[in-house]
Amino acid sequence: MENKTLSLEEQFQNRIDSGENIEAKDWMPEKYRKTHIRQISQHAHSEVVGMLPEGNWISRAPSLRRKVALLAKVQDEAGHGLYLYSAAETLGISREELNEQLNSGRAKYSSIFNYPTISWADMGAVGWLVDGAAIINQVMLTKTSYGPYARAMVRICKEESFHQRQGYEIMLSLCNGTEAQKAMAQDALNRWWWPSMMMFGPRDEDSPNTEQSMKWKIKKKTNDELRQQFVDQTVPQAEILGLTIPDKDLKWNEERGHYDFGTIDWDEFWDVVKGNGLMNEKRLKDRNEAWDEGKWVRDAASAYADKQAEKRAKKTA
Amino acid sequence: MLHEKLYDYLLHLGDNSMILGQRLGELCGHGPELETDIALTNISLDLFGQVRNYFQAAAQIKGGDATEDSVAMLRYEHEYKNTYLVEQPNEDFAHVIVRQFFFDVYHQLILNELMNSKNETLVAIAKKSIKEVDYHVDFSSTWVKRLGDGTEESHEKAQTAVSTLWRYSMELFKATETESWAAESRVGPDLDQLKSVYLERVSSILKEATLSLPEETVFQYGAKTGRHSENMGYILAEFQYMQRAYPNMKW
């Protein structure tokens, strides 16, 4: 028995190593399945909770063009949530169960959404920095070993890179605008910079799952490598905007060919992960309210569908 | 004179879509499930897309510094010409759906007529919008049936929404001076003539949904001529916030 299991796992790993996708009906180690359910659903939850901080500005968008773009963006995020929930369902878990995990607080979602969006410039900064950081992670995931996840990511990445450009363009308009608009943009960068840096997760030495994730191609680069990539790509963009990144230790390191940067406040990171961010409670409360208040609606839809099916059955009988 | 009337008429058309779109936008991320969230956001998007078309045309008529945004966001409350119906709050999902349904059926009738308008801009906007609004009618009618003929609870909630919102329906068909001008000059439809088809369509869906219109209704009129409900000030406070707090800036 022992040998057979080992050999199945070996075969499985060989398939991944040779670049083959794993599909829903293929054999997979239980840990692979569980890890993927956790990761894909966390990702789906992040899309869905992520609708809230941006949804917060739909009614106050400063122009019709911006309002339409923001509505479309939040709608895209709901769509991403849907594909990702479907990808998670292929691993044998239901939407209801996933939803219950989110609403009860058992499942995690990206901590970045536990920060408040307090000005219009946050719609720019979130697109530019948060979507920018997300894309770095997600481009890597288009090559991940689990087929349904990888395919969902291809589509999501296309839309996310559009969102990022849109966010940057909001920042650009503000930075080409009045002093008040520039100040609004700088303030948003000041607030979103460090939380965005935290999106890549703990330092490599504090990230015990990295090795296994690399083996399964959920990860191709470590947290710290991805964070460096984010800094290197974002600093020149901030320079074009004429904004200052709030890190006094940030400087180009000729020898490394990368920017050096300051230390992340890991206490804040873990605090927010543990649920103590400004918006943690509100985000979960909003999700729970939407779900609970929607129960009678979902019940009505299924009762109606049953009645219609019954009518059709009677007709054909 | 003609231009002034046409400008006003564009506001009549645009304001209904805009205020309803704004109400739907408030729901984004709070729907009963992701699929309905997406659909309602989509309707809001369609409506704002139409608004931009109407108000770009309006801004052109107004000339000077006018833009779609100044037309949309820089008027006083009494200058908005939307009906009471669309400014009603998102009380619950039944109110959202019934409000949508009462408006969609009207909207579809109007756009069908506008496709034969003497005004080419309106014809073009109507032709583009009708496809979207056909879908809106389909969406809201289907949900009216689901809620009405779903569970006991959903029936009750849907019936309450019908009984509450019906009083705002007939304002859609009571022509203002501008709308009478539009009908006379064949720019827009004769609203009075559309009323009976509207009643037929609404009643037929409600019947399928096992819902009924209230027997006696005192209809409310006034929003279209600028006497809005208490809701409107709060809608505009959010809607105009950025334009008022940061005047004369580009976004």
Side-chain angles (χ1 to χ4, degrees):
Chain A
M1 270 315 263
E2 186 73 23
N3 277 342
K4 202 178 170 207
T5 311
L6 266 181
S7 103
L8 271 174
E9 284 201 22
E10 274 167 6
Q11 281 174 35
F12 177 81
Q13 190 59 48
N14 285 341
R15 288 183 63 194
I16 292 181
D17 292 344
S18 68
E20 251 183 81
N21 271 349
I22 305 302
E23 295 300 333
K25 287 184 179 152
D26 296 348
W27 182 87
M28 61 186 78
E30 198 45 32
K31 197 173 168 213
Y32 180 90
R33 181 189 305 276
K34 284 204 171 128
T35 302
H36 273 82
I37 289 179
R38 197 185 66 232
Q39 176 158 344
I40 299 171
S41 64
Q42 274 182 15
H43 192 164
H45 298 329
S46 301
E47 297 281 357
V48 172
V49 176
M51 294 167 72
L52 298 169
E54 294 191 278
N56 181 39
W57 276 88
I58 288 175
S59 65
R60 290 174 294 166
S63 70
L64 293 176
R65 181 171 77 95
R66 293 295 184 200
K67 194 188 287 277
V68 167
L70 186 58
L71 276 163
K73 184 184 181 204
V74 180
Q75 189 190 29
D76 282 349
E77 275 150 18
H80 298 170
L82 273 184
Y83 319 144
L84 288 165
Y85 281 129
S86 305
E89 280 177 301
T90 63
L91 291 162
I93 188 161
S94 69
R95 269 276 282 284
E96 286 68 32
E97 220 174 325
L98 291 167
N99 204 69
E100 199 277 322
Q101 289 178 353
L102 170 64
N103 290 355
S104 65
R106 277 193 296 135
K108 293 274 177 263
Y109 54 85
S110 181
S111 278
I112 194 82
F113 301 120
N114 291 320
Y115 290 85
T117 52
I118 56 179
S119 84
W120 169 252
D122 290 10
M123 296 303 99
V126 167
W128 172 35
L129 302 172
V130 175
D131 292 332
I135 291 165
I136 289 178
N137 269 316
Q138 289 168 355
V139 165
M140 182 176 71
L141 287 168
T142 60
K143 300 272 172 0
T144 190
S145 59
Y146 189 55
Y149 192 26
R151 287 189 289 273
M153 286 328 299
V154 171
R155 185 159 170 196
I156 290 173
C157 273
K158 279 187 197 151
E159 292 179 348
E160 289 293 357
S161 63
F162 177 72
H163 296 165
Q164 197 213 359
R165 281 203 300 276
Q166 194 171 287
Y168 190 71
E169 205 254 315
I170 290 177
M171 294 304 271
L172 207 53
S173 297
L174 294 174
C175 292
N176 288 329
T178 62
E179 281 309 309
Q181 285 173 303
K182 249 190 179 158
M184 193 193 286
Q186 180 64 55
D187 171 63
L189 173 59
N190 293 348
R191 284 179 291 105
W192 290 96
W193 174 254
W194 290 107
S196 300
M197 292 282 278
M198 294 175 195
M199 283 177 70
F200 298 95
R203 281 170 300 208
D204 291 348
E205 61 262 38
D206 301 322
S207 182
N209 297 324
T210 296
E211 199 190 341
Q212 180 66 75
S213 299
M214 292 262 203
K215 252 177 96 184
W216 287 339
K217 297 190 179 169
I218 304 175
K219 266 192 175 170
K220 292 198 156 177
K221 290 180 185 168
T222 68
N223 294 354
D224 286 334
E225 285 169 340
L226 293 168
R227 193 162 12 241
Q228 183 71 59
Q229 190 183 331
F230 174 73
V231 175
D232 291 347
Q233 113 183 5
T234 311
V235 173
Q237 294 170 348
E239 281 167 5
I240 294 172
L241 294 172
L243 296 177
T244 310
I245 288 176
D247 178 357
K248 60 180 173 25
D249 298 319
L250 186 79
K251 60 173 182 296
W252 177 252
N253 182 326
E254 195 64 54
E255 210 173 297
R256 290 202 308 126
H258 292 292
Y259 283 93
D260 290 338
F261 52 89
T263 315
I264 288 173
D265 180 350
W266 293 108
D267 291 340
E268 176 183 321
F269 173 79
W270 289 114
D271 252 354
V272 181
V273 168
K274 284 176 192 149
N276 300 316
L278 186 66
M279 300 304 286
N280 291 60
E281 256 178 56
K282 172 83 164 85
R283 300 291 183 239
L284 269 192
K285 181 171 166 271
D286 281 354
R287 282 316 310 159
N288 275 290
E289 273 174 14
W291 187 250
D292 295 345
E293 285 168 18
K295 186 181 184 305
W296 69 269
V297 178
R298 297 189 299 276
D299 289 348
S302 61
Y304 179 77
D306 290 347
K307 284 184 195 175
Q308 293 302 306
E310 221 172 277
K311 274 185 198 165
R312 277 195 298 275
K314 265 187 194 162
K315 261 188 191 168
T316 49
Chain B
M1 180 63 184
L2 183 137
H3 277 150
E4 209 174 287
K5 291 281 186 198
L6 185 59
Y7 175 81
D8 270 357
Y9 190 57
L10 287 163
L11 298 187
H12 271 284
L13 295 168
D15 285 349
N16 273 327
S17 292
M18 184 167 77
I19 300 304
L20 186 56
Q22 178 76 0
R23 277 296 192 212
L24 294 174
E26 292 168 13
L27 291 166
C28 203
H30 303 274
E33 53 192 349
L34 274 178
E35 289 83 348
T36 28
D37 217 308
I38 291 174
L40 290 172
T41 308
N42 205 41
I43 294 174
S44 175
L45 260 175
D46 288 344
L47 292 172
F48 275 112
Q50 296 164 16
V51 169
R52 293 189 69 192
N53 291 328
Y54 289 127
F55 290 176
Q56 280 162 13
Q60 232 172 16
I61 293 173
K62 199 160 191 205
D65 296 337
T67 62
E68 60 180 56
D69 292 324
S70 69
V71 173
M73 297 177 173
L74 294 177
R75 278 180 279 149
Y76 294 117
E77 182 173 326
H78 68 270
E79 294 170 314
Y80 285 85
K81 299 179 187 304
N82 58 281
T83 58
Y84 282 130
L85 178 67
V86 294
E87 60 191 57
Q88 295 309 305
N90 301 322
E91 206 68 54
D92 62 10
F93 190 73
H95 279 72
V96 170
I97 288 298
V98 171
R99 181 185 65 200
Q100 192 66 38
F101 171 64
F102 285 164
F103 181 72
D104 289 342
V105 176
Y106 158 85
H107 199 190
Q108 191 181 40
L109 286 168
I110 294 289
L111 289 176
N112 266 316
E113 295 294 319
L114 285 177
M115 289 198 287
N116 300 313
S117 166
K118 283 254 188 249
N119 182 289
E120 281 175 25
T121 309
L122 287 178
V123 173
I125 298 175
K127 281 190 172 162
K128 190 173 163 284
S129 311
I130 189 73
K131 292 174 208 147
E132 296 165 350
V133 173
D134 285 346
Y135 162 76
H136 303 173
V137 171
D138 198 44
F139 173 84
S140 60
S141 309
T142 306
W143 269 107
V144 164
K145 289 187 254 177
R146 283 183 188 138
L147 298 184
D149 194 18
T151 63
E152 208 173 302
E153 185 185 9
S154 71
H155 176 86
E156 205 173 294
K157 286 190 149 89
Q159 185 57 59
T160 303
V162 167
S163 305
T164 307
L165 295 170
W166 183 243
R167 74 193 66 174
Y168 307 114
S169 61
M170 284 303 115
E171 188 188 16
L172 292 164
F173 296 94
K174 186 170 179 181
T176 60
E177 241 177 75
T178 304
E179 285 169 318
S180 300
W181 162 83
E184 279 155 27
S185 45
R186 320 242 327 250
V187 166
D190 180 342
L191 293 175
D192 207 42
Q193 280 189 0
L194 297 176
K195 205 151 86 178
S196 60
V197 190
Y198 179 81
L199 287 170
E200 245 169 66
R201 290 191 187 171
V202 166
S203 309
S204 130
I205 297 289
L206 289 183
K207 195 177 164 207
E208 267 191 76
T210 70
L211 297 167
S212 49
L213 291 174
E215 278 175 20
E216 273 178 43
T217 305
V218 177
F219 290 103
Q220 297 293 332
Y221 305 95
K224 269 159 88 164
T225 52
R227 275 188 288 121
H228 290 281
S229 66
E230 288 183 353
N231 298 305
M232 191 64 179
Y234 294 96
I235 295 174
L236 292 180
E238 285 191 27
F239 184 65
Q240 301 184 336
Y241 164 62
M242 290 296 290
Q243 289 279 343
R244 296 291 188 200
Y246 300 87
N248 303 317
M249 297 184 199
K250 288 204 169 66
W251 301 96

